[in-house]
Amino acid sequence: GYLIAGEKEIAGERGAGFAAYLIKVDPDGNKLWEKTYGNNSVSSFYAAGQVKDGGYILTGKIESADDGYDLYVVKTNINGDPVWEKTFESAGCNCGYSVLQSKDGGYVIAGRIGIEKSSLSKVFLLKLKPDSKSNSPLLYLSGMAAVVLFGVLLFSQKRSSKK
């Protein structure tokens, strides 16, 4: 089957908005299940992947208290039920655009922090522990160092999956 992540328009207490959305379909495109995330906050997913335990790791953005967006990361079980959810706060519009599970079981997220549509935005790379019980990242890089390191990680993961 297939996993589709994005956003779904929903009606809430403040009117209509978008919620981070995940749908699983069979090989013929028939819906097996669907879930929304974000506790009625405006949110979106931009990347998803299956992890070693059969569940999924998702990243995107969620509305912050200061009218911006925070980085949003959700780990689910095989049925899409949340195991844990994390937000990483920073001023401006922050978002995860790519996520993968590392060999040690942790998670690597690449995205953007800063002011939307501005030269002040920076690329970032975040490495989370496998259990992710805390919001403390193992590694946080921004700017060109993050771009280079994520490229190396992605290339090495693709090479090892071909063996």
Side-chain angles (χ1 to χ4, degrees):
Y2 302 95
L3 186 71
I4 304 163
E7 61 189 18
K8 179 180 181 176
E9 188 172 10
I10 58 169
E13 296 171 7
R14 298 181 286 175
F18 290 96
Y21 179 67
L22 186 64
I23 182 171
K24 176 81 181 224
V25 297
D26 68 18
D28 296 321
N30 300 307
K31 179 172 59 173
L32 299 173
W33 50 258
E34 65 181 332
K35 308 280 181 171
T36 57
Y37 306 84
N39 299 323
N40 297 321
S41 294
V42 174
S43 55
S44 300
F45 287 137
Y46 294 110
Q50 191 162 27
V51 295
K52 294 174 188 172
D53 68 5
Y56 306 99
I57 188 74
L58 308 133
T59 191
K61 66 182 181 181
I62 191 165
E63 188 175 40
S64 67
D66 65 357
D67 294 327
Y69 289 96
D70 293 328
L71 170 66
Y72 187 43
V73 183
V74 177
K75 165 69 175 78
T76 74
N77 64 19
I78 197 165
N79 298 314
D81 301 316
V83 174
W84 50 258
E85 297 180 56
K86 303 285 178 204
T87 57
F88 296 89
E89 300 174 4
S90 185
C93 295
N94 310 289
C95 185
Y97 290 113
S98 184
V99 62
L100 57 89
Q101 188 171 35
S102 57
K103 289 181 181 181
D104 68 0
Y107 306 97
V108 179
I109 300 154
R112 175 183 48 85
I113 59 170
I115 301 168
E116 194 170 22
K117 298 179 184 175
S118 165
S119 62
L120 299 177
S121 288
K122 292 182 180 178
V123 173
F124 77 87
L125 182 71
L126 182 69
K127 173 75 165 61
L128 300 176
K129 297 176 185 178
D131 63 6
S132 287
K133 292 191 174 153
S134 75
N135 267 0
S136 300
L138 285 175
L139 173 70
Y140 179 85
L141 297 170
S142 66
M144 190 48 103
V147 174
V148 171
L149 185 56
F150 189 73
V152 168
L153 289 169
L154 193 58
F155 179 74
S156 86
Q157 178 141 0
K158 284 183 179 181
R159 284 182 47 96
S160 64
S161 68
K162 289 181 181 179
K163 292 180 181 178

